[in-house]
Amino acid sequence: MSKIIPFKAVRPAPDKIGLVTCRNYDDYSQAELAAWLNFNPYSFLHVINPAYAHSQKISWDKRFKGVALKYKDFKTDGIFIQEEKAVFYVYEIQTKKQTFTGIIAGTSVEDYQNDVIKKHEDTLQYRVELFKDYLHQTQFNTEPVLITYPDSVEINTWLLLKKQSEPIYSFSTTTKEKHTLWKIDTQSDIDWLQEHFENIPNLYIADGHHRSASAEVLFEQDKHLGNSNLNYFMSFLIAESNVKIYEFNRMVRDLNHHSKEAFLEKLADNFIIKCKDQELWKPENKFEFGMYLDGVFYALFYKHTIEEVSGTSSILNNLDAQILYNKVLFPILGIEDLRNDERIDYISGKQSITSIKQIVDEGEFEVGFMLYPSDISEIKALADNNLIMPPKSTYIEPKFRSGLIVYEL
């Protein structure tokens, strides 16, 4: 049984919505960031990047206090307004290739702790603690956890009906996306939605494992204060079939002292290797891998399509990212720590293969590997069996606009 709640959100004033919201802070280059900060006084970037935050000598504590003060300024100046009552939202993102529709709601920390909300990624404790401190100091969050639920004809029909009503926001961005938001504030709709989610046995985190873990740590730290808002964290709930999962491709700086010929010979133990020369080849099926080495593309076909391991461990060992690690990255290239080894880097599958070719040709990396993206069934199977994906296995869309909806603690 999954519990969701409406909440009294803070959101941009309707006349400023297109100016306030922004992409994730890390998505901006320094030049883009400077331009938005210089020419758009309404951008939420001013909140998450207070005027002095660029200084490397500023402590995290002072940075977070600066964020909190700037957020209060935005509320005082009427850039942000607060809902008078607790509500849900229906949110639609239209990109060039796909339309995503989901529900913005509060999800339960207790459900997270009891594994009703399931995870498939590991977290880094220092990042969990850092974001927990951020939430504690700023007392707000505008980055929802992306959570999937099983496809439901009833919920899909309800969403279609709600989208026929007048939205509170409809705006486009400089990335050529259209964003539309509907407020769900009638008690009958709120009750209906909560009852339907109560019949869903499990929800699955698609993106936001550190944010949900931080919410749990903050709850345990401050629950004695009696603040009921800490019992929940903001989530964007979307049907399984509506998420888009991209792979993360791997770039390696050297061949671990192997010659090209020796490296290919070792690969042949586990892969059928086909030279594709200059063809921009990428995997078309599971158990297929692309490789770019010394100006040439290769197709690698894994020889063992069913891992000879019984039990739940076979689920992980048949994951393409794990196969590449088990058979190539660790034993041949000597990369043990996928998170921290400086010899490996990652590039999302949203970028074209020519990006990998260009990066390798520039000489900083010697070889690039292209993977076939995982699907939602693999993610769920891992989560159901308490297994963890290798780092940087998936890049999942949609991505939420920062500053669109604020959950206050």
Side-chain angles (χ1 to χ4, degrees):
M1 186 175 84
S2 305
K3 184 176 182 180
I4 65 170
I5 63 160
F7 61 96
K8 291 181 65 175
V10 173
R11 56 184 175 85
D15 64 316
K16 298 178 179 65
I17 180 64
L19 296 170
V20 173
T21 67
C22 60
R23 306 195 307 273
N24 183 282
Y25 178 82
D26 293 331
D27 288 347
Y28 291 89
S29 67
Q30 287 300 312
E32 284 181 301
L33 186 61
W36 280 107
L37 292 173
N38 285 335
F39 299 109
N40 181 5
Y42 297 113
S43 174
F44 193 70
L45 290 168
H46 286 285
V47 175
I48 54 181
N49 185 77
Y52 55 77
H54 63 277
S55 172
Q56 297 301 311
K57 296 181 180 180
I58 297 297
S59 67
W60 286 113
D61 182 69
K62 191 169 184 180
R63 286 172 186 253
F64 297 160
K65 287 179 179 177
V67 171
L69 289 172
K70 194 64 179 178
Y71 173 64
K72 289 179 180 177
D73 288 344
F74 266 46
K75 291 182 70 177
T76 300
D77 294 342
I79 299 172
F80 278 124
I81 58 176
Q82 185 154 26
E83 297 286 3
E84 295 181 355
K85 59 180 287 189
V87 301
F88 290 124
Y89 298 97
V90 171
Y91 179 36
E92 181 182 86
I93 305 169
Q94 290 183 341
T95 70
K96 293 178 181 178
K97 296 182 178 180
Q98 191 165 350
T99 297
F100 304 98
T101 304
I103 300 155
I104 303 171
T107 47
S108 169
V109 170
E110 183 179 5
D111 282 355
Y112 176 86
Q113 293 174 323
N114 293 334
D115 212 29
V116 173
I117 298 175
K118 291 181 173 287
K119 314 93 180 168
H120 71 268
E121 284 186 8
D122 209 351
T123 55
L124 297 173
Q125 192 58 34
Y126 83 90
R127 284 186 59 190
V128 171
E129 291 290 336
L130 185 64
F131 193 65
K132 181 266 294 181
D133 291 341
Y134 169 87
L135 295 174
H136 180 76
Q137 290 278 11
T138 64
Q139 291 293 293
F140 75 85
N141 179 34
T142 186
E143 298 180 23
V145 176
L146 182 64
I147 291 181
T148 67
Y149 60 86
D151 281 70
S152 162
V153 173
E154 293 84 1
I155 294 177
N156 286 343
T157 302
W158 181 86
L159 287 171
L160 287 172
L161 179 63
K162 294 301 119 180
K163 290 199 296 182
Q164 293 175 17
S165 62
E166 186 71 20
I168 57 173
Y169 298 140
S170 183
F171 64 99
S172 297
T173 68
T174 54
T175 54
K176 296 183 179 179
E177 294 179 348
K178 183 180 179 182
H179 298 258
T180 311
L181 191 77
W182 293 265
K183 181 164 65 174
I184 308 301
D185 57 357
T186 65
Q187 195 59 49
S188 59
D189 278 328
I190 290 172
D191 291 342
W192 185 91
L193 202 55
Q194 288 182 309
E195 288 172 6
H196 273 71
F197 271 87
E198 285 176 357
N199 292 323
I200 297 175
N202 291 108
L203 303 174
Y204 294 81
I205 297 176
D207 190 23
H209 285 79
H210 284 90
R211 278 164 271 160
S212 50
S214 297
E216 180 196 17
V217 174
L218 182 65
F219 167 76
E220 292 295 339
Q221 173 186 293
D222 291 348
K223 62 183 178 182
H224 65 280
L225 300 176
N227 180 0
S228 61
N229 287 349
L230 296 177
N231 298 349
Y232 301 89
F233 54 90
M234 181 168 66
S235 294
F236 183 36
L237 299 142
I238 189 167
E240 293 173 358
S241 64
N242 200 205
V243 296
K244 176 64 176 176
I245 305 174
Y246 295 92
E247 72 281 8
F248 260 112
N249 298 312
R250 276 83 166 115
M251 316 290 297
V252 182
R253 297 184 191 278
D254 59 68
L255 296 183
N256 195 28
H257 307 296
H258 297 296
S259 67
K260 173 185 172 182
E261 291 73 22
F263 176 63
L264 289 171
E265 185 176 341
K266 287 181 176 294
L267 282 180
D269 291 341
N270 289 293
F271 300 91
I272 298 170
I273 304 173
K274 293 186 178 180
C275 179
K276 295 292 183 178
D277 199 22
Q278 297 303 303
E279 179 186 346
L280 297 175
W281 189 86
K282 64 183 298 185
E284 298 177 348
N285 297 287
K286 186 172 170 57
F287 302 120
E288 298 178 359
F289 302 84
M291 183 175 72
Y292 182 68
L293 172 66
D294 194 26
V296 175
F297 284 94
Y298 296 87
L300 309 179
F301 300 93
Y302 187 48
K303 291 180 179 179
H304 313 287
T305 56
I306 299 177
E307 176 65 35
E308 299 89 352
V309 177
S310 61
T312 58
S313 59
S314 65
I315 299 170
L316 178 60
N317 287 326
N318 282 309
L319 194 69
D320 282 0
Q322 189 69 30
I323 291 169
L324 187 68
Y325 175 76
N326 288 343
K327 305 300 182 182
V328 182
L329 298 179
F330 179 43
I332 302 177
L333 297 179
I335 296 172
E336 183 175 2
D337 187 344
L338 292 174
R339 288 189 183 276
N340 300 308
D341 196 316
E342 294 182 353
R343 294 173 55 230
I344 190 168
D345 207 348
Y346 305 89
I347 180 170
S348 84
K350 284 199 70 176
Q351 299 191 47
S352 68
I353 299 178
T354 55
S355 300
I356 296 175
K357 181 181 186 301
Q358 181 180 349
I359 291 169
V360 173
D361 287 345
E362 287 173 353
E364 184 178 354
F365 295 87
E366 194 161 352
V367 60
F369 296 97
M370 290 76 80
L371 284 76
Y372 188 72
S374 297
D375 61 33
I376 193 68
S377 63
E378 288 183 306
I379 291 175
K380 290 179 65 177
L382 288 164
D384 287 339
N385 288 280
N386 297 313
L387 296 171
I388 300 299
M389 271 188 160
K392 295 289 186 181
S393 290
T394 56
Y395 179 91
I396 299 180
E397 288 188 336
K399 299 297 183 186
F400 202 86
R401 295 288 289 183
S402 191
L404 175 66
I405 297 293
V406 181
Y407 182 89
E408 291 193 335
L409 301 173

